[in-house]
Amino acid sequence: MRWLTLIFVLLCGPLTAQDTPLVSLQTGVNSRGWEGVGRLDIIDQGFCTAALIDEVTILTAAHCIYRADGSLIPADRFVFEAGLRNGRAEASRNISAAYVHPDYQHVGQETNVSHVATDVAILTLARPIRHPWVKPFPIASAPRSGDEIGIVSYARERAEAPSLQEVCTVLNWQNGVMIMTCSIDFGASGSPVFVVQNGVAKIASVVSAKATSNGRDISLGTSLVKPLATLRQIASTPKIGKRIGLQSGERRDTGAKFVRP
C-alpha cells in the first residue's frame, strides 16, 4: 500500500456521515458470500489482497507484483488464500503466471497519480477453485460520484481475517482514478471495491493507494473495465515458441509485463 500526498479538486462536500465502520469477518456466518476475497501472500515479503474473478483468475493491484527495488516478483512466490480466517483458508492455490497492465509504470513506494488508473494485475491460479462456496465475483461498470460502494480487505493489524466496510462513498473521478472515502491500510492493496446491483456484489475497482488531500484522508482506486479487458486479452494470447521461456520483466509483443516462476 502506497501513501500519496496529492492535491485534488474534490467536487463534493464533507465526508458522508453514512460511511460505516470496518467489521471483521471472523465467523462463517458474517463472511458468507465474501469467500472469493483472499489474502495474496508474497513469500518473505508480506501480503496484498486479491479477489477471484473466475475459477482460475484473481485480480489485484499491479504494484503488488513488484519488489521494492522495482524488479518483478516471480509467480511462484505468491500464494492465494481464499477466504482466509484465523489460519484457515477455504482454498489455497499457488500462482502459475501474473500479468501487469502494459501502461502501468512502477516507481517504488512513490508514484504518480497517473499510474493509479492502470495499477491492475491478474494472476493465474495453478489449479482452479471450484468449491461451491467460493464464488468468483462479476465485474461492474464504474460507479459515479456520490455512489455508495463497499470494500473487503486484509491489512496491517487485521491480517488474519478480512474486514468489510459495507458503505463508503465515491467522491470523484479524475484521470481514470476513483477517489473514495473507504478505510484502508497497508496490506489492503489490491482489495476489491464493490457495488451491489440487484442484490449481487460486483467488483467496480481495485484499491491502489491511500492519500491525503487538503488534510483529508482518501483512498484511490483503479479504472477497471477497459484495463481488465486488456489484461484478459494478453493472458489469452497463446504461449508459443520462445515465449514459454520469458524471464521476469521481459515484454511480449503486446507490451505487457509478464511474470513466470
Side-chain angles (χ1 to χ4, degrees), residues 3 10 17 27 31 34 71 84 92 94 100 109 125 142 164 174 185 190 193 214-215 231 241 248-249 257:
W3 181 280
L10 297 180
T27 71
S31 63
W34 303 114
S71 62
L84 179 69
S92 181
N94 294 328
V100 177
Q109 292 301 308
L125 305 180
L164 167 67
Q174 290 187 27
D185 207 335
V193 178
N214 300 323
L231 284 169
S248 297
K257 299 184 185 71

Side-chain angles (χ1 to χ4, degrees), residues 71-130:
S71 62
L72 288 161
I73 302 171
D76 63 355
R77 305 299 292 173
F78 295 92
V79 179
F80 178 60
E81 303 280 4
L84 179 69
R85 287 186 292 110
N86 303 319
R88 181 183 180 276
E90 299 291 346
S92 181
R93 295 290 186 273
N94 294 328
I95 302 299
S96 62
Y99 304 86
V100 177
H101 194 278
D103 292 339
Y104 175 70
Q105 299 294 320
H106 186 75
V107 288
Q109 292 301 308
E110 298 298 325
T111 190
N112 188 301
V113 68
S114 63
H115 302 155
V116 172
T118 54
D119 189 5
V120 183
I122 58 173
L123 288 76
T124 303
L125 305 180
R127 293 184 295 118
I129 295 177
R130 294 184 175 134

Side-chain angles (χ1 to χ4, degrees), residues 7 102 117 157 218:
I7 298 175
E157 298 182 356
I218 57 175

Side-chain angles (χ1 to χ4, degrees), residues 99-102 229-238 252 254-256 258:
Y99 304 86
V100 177
H101 194 278
T230 297
L231 284 169
R232 284 189 179 279
Q233 182 178 13
I234 291 166
S236 67
T237 301
R252 290 170 169 269
T254 57
F258 180 72

Side-chain angles (χ1 to χ4, degrees), residues 120-173:
V120 183
I122 58 173
L123 288 76
T124 303
L125 305 180
R127 293 184 295 118
I129 295 177
R130 294 184 175 134
H131 300 320
W133 55 90
V134 183
K135 297 183 181 300
F137 295 101
I139 303 301
S141 56
R144 297 173 296 180
S145 298
D147 283 356
E148 291 184 351
I149 50 179
I151 182 173
V152 177
S153 63
Y154 294 81
R156 180 174 57 186
E157 298 182 356
R158 46 186 182 86
E160 299 305 316
S163 293
L164 167 67
Q165 187 175 15
E166 190 171 7
V167 178
C168 43
T169 306
V170 179
L171 293 173
N172 196 13
W173 283 90

